[in-house]
Amino acid sequence: MSQSSTSAEQKEKILEGITVLDLSTFVTGGFCSAMLANLGAEVVKVEQPGYGDAIRHSGPPFIQGESPYYWTVNYGKRSLELNLKNDRAREALYELAEHADVFIQNYRPGTAERLGVDYETINAHNEEVIYLAISAFGQTGPWAERSGYDLLIQGMSGIMSVTGEEGRQPVKVGLPITDLITAMWAAFGATSALYRREQTGEGEYIDLGMLEATLPWLTKQAGQVFADETPTRMGTKDPVLAPYQTFETADGYLNVCILNEKLWHELCEVIDRNDLPVDDRFETNADRVAHQDELETEIEATLGEKTTDEWIEIIAEEGGVPAGPVYEVEEALNNPQVDARGAISEIEHPELGTIPVIEHPLKFANSDSGFDMAPPLLGEHNRDVFRDLDYSEAELDEFEAMGVFGSQSTANDESE
């Protein structure tokens, strides 16, 4: 791992000067604000006193009491504990909102109103704010008030119906994929609204539902439905391309991706199977899609003769045909390509020393990016956030005494 650092001639980050108040929990809002932090926004993570974001407690594994899963969603932020059921704490939040550019929450519809952090209230304090309301199903419709998380949305979006093997039960994607999809839409929406504000001076209200956020990603399967076909679970096979799947080798697995006839002929040549393109079952992509089981049998019989590494050398390196191994996660995070690109770096944590960072992938020629701070300890910046607004130490002591930073449980599992 390389140490995260900035160049001698430090470039300005694209979102430098932008302030984000993030009241969300778990992944949808958290990964969104991490994306904004990576581009230079100052993100204040507003957390439940004494407990914090629930993702802090997601595990095992834990490293000295901290969840490394929490790290991956919260690099580059400051943590502020605020008891939103405390009147003075809400007033303090409103003052922060006056200086914020983006306000993020992922409460179940109706909760923000009860806590006094709904759009109308925040907008009354800052008409130019970009207010992002994330929920499972959006703010309207018959399911609006339902809670929902990644697993539910994977099921209801159709993803699980096409993930897994034919004839077996539906399988969820191993990542919290709909959380991350929603987070990326959220970051895109926030930056788009910031761009519009530069031109009009107007703030924005964004209503983002996880279910709707996921549907545009169906692409191939949606195309099948539009053509009156029924998408099914196909294992690693593809509904419209063949061969485009995982094959077993002598010692593991190999992914082969053939998107056109040129690549198909090149593959057959490098694996010494020139008989396949002249077989009526495999001549065109449409033929191959119609005979995927037979095609798999033929190709796998050949690929089983050598190891994965040997085939990578023959197919990908020498033949230039898209093929690659199926890595374990540890291998995915540690390999020559990832190392060369600096995709994994390190950052100093206030208690744990050096911890790993998964860098975000945008590499700009004329601006900087990257995380400047480790994931914050709970309440690490309680005083710092208000010092920046010129609060005195005596006023901050009064905040402590009044329970602004919390002295009682404010548990509220009403996000998304």
Side-chain angles (χ1 to χ4, degrees):
M1 296 183 185
S2 61
Q3 183 71 31
S4 181
S5 61
T6 56
S7 62
E9 295 181 13
Q10 187 159 357
K11 303 168 186 173
E12 186 171 295
K13 295 182 178 180
I14 290 174
L15 295 182
E16 209 155 300
I18 296 297
T19 299
V20 178
L21 282 182
D22 183 2
L23 277 66
S24 68
T25 62
F26 277 114
V27 180
T28 54
F31 197 83
C32 165
S33 62
M35 291 176 69
L36 302 180
N38 187 267
L39 296 182
E42 178 187 332
V43 177
V44 178
K45 182 178 179 65
V46 180
E47 302 193 67
Q48 174 186 311
Y51 185 81
D53 185 343
I55 198 173
R56 289 180 179 273
H57 309 280
S58 293
F62 294 101
I63 298 176
Q64 295 184 33
E66 285 216 354
S67 168
Y69 178 28
Y70 157 77
W71 298 346
T72 64
V73 181
N74 288 288
Y75 301 120
K77 304 178 188 179
R78 300 202 288 176
S79 171
L80 168 63
E81 295 172 288
L82 277 185
N83 179 0
L84 295 181
K85 296 179 180 178
N86 177 297
D87 291 342
R88 186 64 188 92
R90 279 198 305 276
E91 291 175 12
L93 179 71
Y94 297 152
E95 183 172 355
L96 291 172
E98 290 175 7
H99 299 271
D101 298 285
V102 179
F103 189 101
I104 303 172
Q105 57 91 348
N106 66 341
Y107 296 117
R108 193 184 314 178
T111 301
E113 287 77 7
R114 290 195 295 275
L115 292 174
V117 295
D118 54 290
Y119 172 67
E120 287 73 17
T121 302
I122 299 302
N123 181 254
H125 292 273
N126 181 351
E127 292 183 352
E128 296 183 0
V129 75
I130 309 302
Y131 186 103
L132 181 55
I134 304 171
S135 60
F137 301 103
Q139 302 295 311
T140 60
W143 300 342
E145 294 187 8
R146 291 188 191 180
S147 61
Y149 296 93
D150 174 70
L151 177 61
L152 298 185
I153 303 303
Q154 284 205 36
M156 298 177 75
S157 66
I159 287 178
M160 288 178 64
S161 74
V162 296
T163 304
E165 297 178 344
E166 183 180 3
R168 304 189 67 177
Q169 71 175 26
V171 175
K172 77 177 181 70
V173 178
L175 315 175
I177 189 70
T178 69
D179 284 335
L180 297 168
I181 288 171
T182 305
M184 297 188 80
W185 281 118
F188 176 68
T191 51
S192 297
L194 286 169
Y195 175 75
R196 179 179 179 275
R197 191 182 70 175
E198 282 295 304
Q199 317 216 310
T200 67
E202 296 177 344
E204 187 61 272
Y205 172 78
I206 303 172
D207 170 8
L208 176 60
M210 293 176 66
L211 180 60
E212 295 161 77
T214 305
L215 297 181
W217 289 51
L218 293 176
T219 58
K220 292 178 183 178
Q221 288 76 16
Q224 288 181 279
V225 171
F226 297 158
D228 295 324
E229 296 180 5
T230 301
T232 60
R233 291 185 287 284
M234 303 178 65
T236 65
K237 294 185 179 73
D238 189 86
V240 300
L241 295 169
Y244 193 96
Q245 67 181 88
T246 305
F247 295 99
E248 192 165 359
T249 66
D251 68 342
Y253 297 94
L254 181 73
N255 285 326
V256 177
C257 308
I258 302 302
L259 283 80
N260 56 50
E261 300 310 321
K262 178 176 180 291
L263 287 174
W264 169 236
H265 285 270
E266 289 174 351
L267 172 68
C268 293
E269 183 173 347
V270 298
I271 67 172
D272 197 21
R273 289 299 307 268
N274 288 317
D275 59 306
L276 295 178
V278 296
D279 188 316
D280 289 345
R281 298 171 298 171
F282 311 135
E283 184 176 355
T284 69
N285 180 71
D287 296 328
R288 296 191 295 275
V289 169
H291 298 92
Q292 290 201 56
D293 290 343
E294 299 101 307
L295 180 64
E296 180 179 45
T297 298
E298 293 288 345
I299 293 178
E300 208 154 69
T302 298
L303 296 186
E305 297 173 357
K306 299 181 187 295
T307 67
T308 297
D309 285 346
E310 288 173 327
W311 282 123
I312 292 295
E313 181 69 23
I314 293 169
I315 299 174
E317 298 293 342
E318 296 175 4
V321 177
V326 178
Y327 279 155
E328 300 291 335
V329 175
E330 184 175 358
E331 295 173 294
L333 295 173
N334 296 278
N335 61 68
Q337 181 64 25
V338 164
D339 292 344
R341 297 284 289 175
I344 307 295
S345 65
E346 296 176 336
I347 201 165
E348 288 299 316
H349 187 279
E351 290 188 352
L352 302 178
T354 299
I355 66 169
V357 175
I358 303 174
E359 296 289 353
H360 286 195
L362 298 174
K363 299 181 186 300
F364 300 96
N366 298 313
S367 58
D368 197 8
S369 62
F371 297 109
D372 296 326
M373 299 185 297
L377 302 172
L378 178 59
E380 181 180 347
H381 304 98
N382 283 353
R383 287 178 168 258
D384 291 344
V385 168
F386 289 101
R387 286 189 187 112
D388 289 350
L389 296 182
D390 295 325
Y391 274 71
S392 68
E393 295 304 312
E395 289 172 311
L396 296 177
D397 289 340
E398 185 178 356
F399 270 15
E400 296 270 12
M402 296 176 68
V404 167
F405 301 135
S407 59
Q408 59 186 19
S409 174
T410 57
N412 186 358
D413 189 22
E414 297 188 89
S415 60
E416 295 179 3

